[in-house]
């Protein structure tokens, strides 16, 4: 019986070492191959010229690199944002975005195909859950952009796990991917330049707090009362605001890191002074920052982005209560850079 091919990007370094040891290779080969994967960003075994031909041939037969194919690309009109739809080995597709902003080059990457949470306003939520990505499929996305940037003589500086899916519901793969991204002998992205965004999976936040990492945690809050959050973000019915904030306080205590709270402003829904006040009350005494982002309209949701006037009312309240916040420009709106929207574009509209 033939063995299935080994997916090299799914392996941690020790697993790569034992694979090559089983194949009778000298110990230093594992480091050479690792460098081809994560430093030289190889896309083909033929490029690995310091490996003996016999090993390259064996790798070609028994291993895969699984470099994702770009099936659609959108460039923003200012050329600063690029969004790629990437095809995986089984034909599933995920979105990954490259943003160039203030000297940073940030990859926004997916952790699942679809998402089981089903937030009303989110294009990914609207498509349901298909499957988890492997750690290799997650890492493949920043590697893809690192190759694009290398051709321009630049490096990838930041990674945000803010694409399709809920990273804390694919915990092992997401964490394995992060550890490979920060590995000084791999992509070497600074820990503080990595952000993991969660909808508020409380056990996952507690577990993450104990990982000894210095990454940034972002929590997609969007509402500060259980009544409203239950509607917008259905996982709130399982982990309500009390439990969520308890885990956030714990996270800050353990890591010393400030948490970012995401707030997509929806006209007449969560842009009221009452919501701003409730938010301020929840954040009291917590090392936190709020990112206010006008809603990106999606096909499956009627809500509209708040008007400039409503946004000003909301932020005036935050100011009044001394809540640190930033109004984020929606980068790449013209290329449907909202989560899940490019994939949605590539599917026929549902009846
Ligand atoms: N599942 C994780 C990470 C992916 S979503 C999470 O929810 O945090 C990345 C961010 O995009 C989240 O903050 C999400 O709430 C936000 N988002 C999704 N759809 C949006 C839309 N239509 N407009 C504005 N923000 C949206
Ligand atoms: Fe899933 Fe996040 Fe979209 Fe909610 S916002 S459906 S958790 S991807």
């Amino acid at each position: 019986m033939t063995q299935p091919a080994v997916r090299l990007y799914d392996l941690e370094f020790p697993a790569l070492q034992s694979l090559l040891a089983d194949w009778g290779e000298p110990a230093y080969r594992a480091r050479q191959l690792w460098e081809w994967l994560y430093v030289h960003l190889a896309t083909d075994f033929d490029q690995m010229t310091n490996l003996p031909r016999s090993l390259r041939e064996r790798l070609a037969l028994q291993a895969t690199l699984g470099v994702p194919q770009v099936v659609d690309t959108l460039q923003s009109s200012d050329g600063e944002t690029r969004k790629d739809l990437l095809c995986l080995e089984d034909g599933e597709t995920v979105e990954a975005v490259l943003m160039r902003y203030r000297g940073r080059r940030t990859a926004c990457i997916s952790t699942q195909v679809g998402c089981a949470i089903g937030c009303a306003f989110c294009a990914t939520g609207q498509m349901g859950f298909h499957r988890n990505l492997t750690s290799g499929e997650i890492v493949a996305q920043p590697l893809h952009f690192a190759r694009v940037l290398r051709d321009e003589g630049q490096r990838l500086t930041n990674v945000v796990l803010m694409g399709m899916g809920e990273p804390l519901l694919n915990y092992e793969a997401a964490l394995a991917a992060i550890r490979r991204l920060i590995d000084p002998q791999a992509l070497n992205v600074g820990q503080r330049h990595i952000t993991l965004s969660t909808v508020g999976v409380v056990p996952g936040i507690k577990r993450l707090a104990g990982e000894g990492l210095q990454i940034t945690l972002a929590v997609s809050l969007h509402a500060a009362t259980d009544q409203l959050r239950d509607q917008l973000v259905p996982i709130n019915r399982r982990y309500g605001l009390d439990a969520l904030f308890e885990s956030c306080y714990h996270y800050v205590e353990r890591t010393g890191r400030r948490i970012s709270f995401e707030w997509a402003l929806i006209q007449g829904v969560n842009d009221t002074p009452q919501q701003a006040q409730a938010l301020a009350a929840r954040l009291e005494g917590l090392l936190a920052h709020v990112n206010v982002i006008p809603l990106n309209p999606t096909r499956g949701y009627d809500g509209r982005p708040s008007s400039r006037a409503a946004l000003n009312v909301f932020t005036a309240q935050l100011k009044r209560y001394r809540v640190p916040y930033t109004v984020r420009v929606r980068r790449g709106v013209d290329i449907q850079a909202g989560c899940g929207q490019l994939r949605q574009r590539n599917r026929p509209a549902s009846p």
Side-chain angles (χ1 to χ4, degrees), residues 178-212:
I178 290 172
R179 292 204 187 276
R180 245 169 290 151
L181 293 176
I182 65 178
D183 181 348
Q185 314 232 45
L187 260 189
N188 195 20
V189 178
Q191 293 203 33
R192 288 159 186 260
H193 295 163
I194 295 185
T195 299
L196 181 150
S197 177
T198 179
V199 71
V201 179
V202 167
I205 294 173
K206 288 191 174 149
R207 194 170 161 196
L208 189 64
E211 296 282 356

Side-chain angles (χ1 to χ4, degrees), residues 91-144:
E92 286 285 11
T93 52
V94 288
E95 298 178 0
V97 183
L98 176 64
M99 294 167 282
R100 301 158 204 258
Y101 186 58
R102 292 198 180 153
R104 288 187 214 151
R105 290 163 302 275
T106 303
C108 175
I109 64 173
S110 299
T111 54
Q112 298 181 314
V113 184
C115 181
I117 305 289
C119 301
F121 49 82
C122 171
T124 305
Q126 289 159 17
M127 72 184 251
F129 176 71
H130 291 215
R131 70 169 173 86
N132 278 330
L133 297 187
T134 68
S135 65
E137 288 171 328
I138 299 172
V139 166
Q141 302 164 61
L143 287 174
H144 162 65

Side-chain angles (χ1 to χ4, degrees), residues 261-334:
F261 288 92
E262 308 295 310
W263 195 283
L265 264 193
I266 312 170
Q267 179 77 33
V269 175
N270 63 355
D271 58 359
T272 59
Q274 291 78 4
Q275 281 295 321
Q277 273 169 38
L279 172 59
R282 285 282 176 188
L283 295 183
E284 220 178 294
L286 184 66
L287 195 57
H289 188 91
V290 178
N291 289 318
V292 179
I293 315 147
L295 179 80
N296 207 2
T298 53
R299 202 186 268 168
Y301 182 63
D302 287 339
R304 309 310 306 164
S306 299
S307 64
R308 177 50 62 181
L311 183 138
N312 288 342
V313 169
F314 187 79
T315 54
Q317 292 294 319
L318 295 185
K319 235 181 249 153
R320 182 171 156 212
Y321 292 105
R322 297 179 200 285
V323 173
Y325 72 91
T326 311
V327 177
R328 302 273 167 198
V329 246
R330 264 238 145 260
R331 300 185 52 71
V333 174
D334 59 335

